[in-house]
Structures are given as C-alpha cells and as structure tokens.
Amino acid sequence: MINIMLVNCYTIYAHNMVAQGSKPVSRRDFAKELHSELVKPWLQHRNRITTLPKRLRESIASILEVDIPAAQIDPQLVQGRKICAFCPSKKRRMTSHFCRRCSKAMCGEHQGK
C-alpha cells in the first residue's frame, strides 16, 4: 500500500512540475525525500527524550543535521560508574545511575521511582 501511495504521489508531483515547466526529480530521489520528510517529526520527538543512549541521540542528531545541546545530555552518560553516595563505605556498591538534581551516584536500593 505504501508503494501505491508513493507512485500516486509521484504522479501528481511530476504532473505539477511539468505543468509549471520544470523537470521533476527521479522517482527514487522523490521517495528518499518523502521518506525523510515523513520521518523527521518522529526523529525530532525522539531526540528530545533525555534518557536515550548517547549513540542513538548522536545518530538521530546526525540524520537531522543538528547539534545535541549540552544541557540535554544525561549526566548518567557523562559520569560513568561511581560508588553509591548513600550506602555505607563498607558496602562499596558501584552504580552508573545518578540523581538528576544533585548528580550524586545512587544504587538501586536508594533510587526513587
């Protein structure tokens, strides 16, 4: 069904371009451009999610040709693994989760829902 929709859209586009006296782009280029325009709003929505993995955010940013603002990068992705700040030093629990307010490391036992 998507292919039929694409052919119909291209037919209308090509007819309008010929009527204006311009040469239409190839069907393949038209399909690529249509795909990118249809996917762009979803990618912009996904790029605003702060909990996405860094690689995925970078990939989406490169597709959209935008930079990732430093304020949106999750502190968890930048700081790596550290010892839980709330556990006694005897336990020495390593974690990669951090408080969003104070940026202190916290293990699963001390995380709030």
Side-chain angles (χ1 to χ4, degrees):
M1 290 189 59
I2 293 174
N3 193 31
I4 292 170
M5 180 268 316
L6 179 67
V7 170
N8 289 338
C9 289
Y10 183 74
T11 303
I12 293 169
Y13 161 77
H15 180 269
N16 289 339
M17 291 302 287
V18 170
Q20 293 176 0
S22 302
K23 182 179 178 185
V25 297
S26 68
R27 186 169 146 195
R28 181 178 184 168
D29 292 338
F30 179 80
K32 287 181 181 179
E33 184 65 28
L34 181 64
H35 171 266
S36 63
E37 290 299 319
L38 289 174
V39 172
K40 191 179 288 187
W42 176 247
L43 289 176
Q44 290 169 342
H45 171 73
R46 295 269 304 184
N47 201 29
R48 287 190 293 264
I49 299 172
T50 58
T51 56
L52 282 180
K54 184 178 181 181
R55 287 185 183 170
L56 182 57
R57 291 177 56 95
E58 289 173 350
S59 177
I60 290 172
S62 69
I63 292 169
L64 293 175
E65 298 175 350
V66 296
D67 293 329
I68 301 174
Q72 285 188 354
I73 296 176
D74 197 352
Q76 296 176 12
L77 302 174
V78 176
Q79 295 180 4
R81 288 174 46 99
K82 292 195 176 183
I83 298 170
C84 178
F86 302 102
C87 285
S89 59
K90 191 184 291 186
K91 286 187 178 179
R92 193 169 175 81
R93 287 187 179 154
M94 297 295 288
T95 182
S96 60
H97 300 284
F98 298 88
C99 177
R100 292 192 187 267
R101 289 189 207 143
C102 64
S103 297
K104 290 183 179 178
M106 66 174 107
C107 65
E109 181 181 332
H110 295 106
Q111 289 180 15
K113 297 290 180 186

